Structure formats: structure tokens, C-alpha cells
Amino acid sequence: LYHKNSDNDHLIYVYDTYCQAWSVRTAENRIIGFAKCNFGFFCIDDTGVLTKLDTASADGVEWSFETDLMTTGSCDIKHVDKLQMCCDIDDGGSVNITIIDEKGTEQEVWSSGGRDGYVVARVKIRKSVCNAFKIRVSGQGEVCIRSMELFIKQGGELYE
């Protein structure tokens, strides 16, 4: 349950399935959504921070998210030059970046490879003949994604 009290505190009431008890947490920002999977209960706030609400450890928990399919236009694969993502990876965590075309063909373009701490992923996007693509970021364990940027090139140039 999510509640904003008269002091403008954002409160989250969570039933912890591991402890089998209710707990109250405060959130720094407004909660805009909740999600549940086999590994626990999560909330996302209006700044994009995803928080696991159960008290169980996130070690070994697999997670992933995908962008929408980016189609022909200013953000298709022919205009995207590179992807940059900054994240904090806890010990034992991992991150992978995969490009998926409109046919469902997957190509892993970056992996943290066992690195932990503050990691910057810089990926030069290889142009292909597809007209649409999406980006999947997946991983395991505690990872805080600080930023994710696409660098776009203007189209219409015959030679670049």
C-alpha cells in the first residue's frame, strides 16, 4: 500500500512474505507503479528508481527490462550512433545489454564481465538492415542504473 500523509511523507506499507509481517518504509519520491515477479515485490518512483520491497536479499536475483520497439524515424538503428549507460554494480552483480531487431534476433553488445563498483558501458551500435529495434538490459543481483543515453546522428546525409 502507498500513502502520502499530512506531513507530505511518502509511506509504503509492505507485507513481507519472508518474515510474514507488515512493515512501513518511507520513500524519498512519489511512487508511480508496482511490479511483482517470482523474486519479490518492487516499486518505481517518479525519478525512475526501482526498489525491491521485500527484505530478502537481491543476491542472485535475475532481472531485465526492455525499451519499446524503436521504428523508422529519428531514433531507428540507422540514426543511433552509440549507447552509454552508467551503473553501480554490487559485488556478485552483473549487467548485460542486448539489441533485439524486429524479427526477434538478439545480439548481446555489452556485458559487465564480473566487474563491480561504478561501471560505464559505452557501446557503438552496429548499423544493420533492420527498420526497428529495442534494447534489453538484464542482469543479476543489486545494480543501480544511474543513467542511460542514446547518441543520435541526424539522417539524410549521403556520405558521413
Side-chain angles (χ1 to χ4, degrees):
L1 300 172
Y2 169 68
H3 170 71
K4 185 174 174 183
N5 67 14
S6 59
D7 295 331
N8 283 334
D9 293 327
H10 301 273
L11 304 174
I12 306 169
Y13 298 88
V14 178
Y15 183 75
D16 192 321
T17 56
Y18 298 99
C19 298
Q20 307 222 342
W22 283 92
S23 64
V24 176
R25 296 186 181 197
T26 56
E28 294 180 23
N29 300 296
R30 186 175 68 85
I31 304 300
I32 59 171
F34 293 92
K36 181 184 180 305
C37 67
N38 293 338
F39 307 109
F41 193 64
F42 300 82
C43 70
I44 187 165
D45 68 23
D46 58 357
T47 65
V49 174
L50 186 68
T51 304
K52 187 171 192 286
L53 296 175
D54 300 309
T55 58
S57 170
D59 291 345
V61 173
E62 293 182 7
W63 54 267
S64 68
F65 66 89
E66 291 179 358
T67 64
D68 288 335
L69 200 61
M70 298 178 214
T71 57
T72 304
S74 63
C75 199
D76 66 14
I77 196 127
K78 294 172 183 76
H79 293 96
V80 174
D81 187 39
K82 68 180 173 177
L83 164 74
Q84 178 172 294
M85 186 175 74
C86 302
C87 52
D88 286 319
I89 304 173
D90 279 358
D91 189 32
S94 66
V95 177
N96 302 307
I97 302 173
T98 304
I99 301 291
I100 306 166
D101 69 17
E102 76 265 13
K103 298 173 200 146
T105 306
E106 299 183 12
Q107 177 190 3
E108 184 175 279
V109 294
W110 187 84
S111 175
S112 61
R115 290 176 281 181
D116 59 9
Y118 189 77
V119 177
V120 178
R122 291 185 180 96
V123 178
K124 186 86 168 156
I125 302 295
R126 196 183 95 219
K127 309 302 185 237
S128 71
V129 294
C130 70
N131 291 318
F133 77 106
K134 57 185 169 180
I135 300 167
R136 177 187 298 143
V137 178
S138 59
Q140 184 175 341
E142 290 274 342
V143 175
C144 179
I145 297 174
R146 300 288 180 190
S147 68
M148 188 169 165
E149 300 174 273
L150 286 177
F151 293 84
I152 309 293
K153 278 186 168 180
Q154 295 301 315
E157 300 290 327
L158 185 57
Y159 301 102
E160 294 186 32

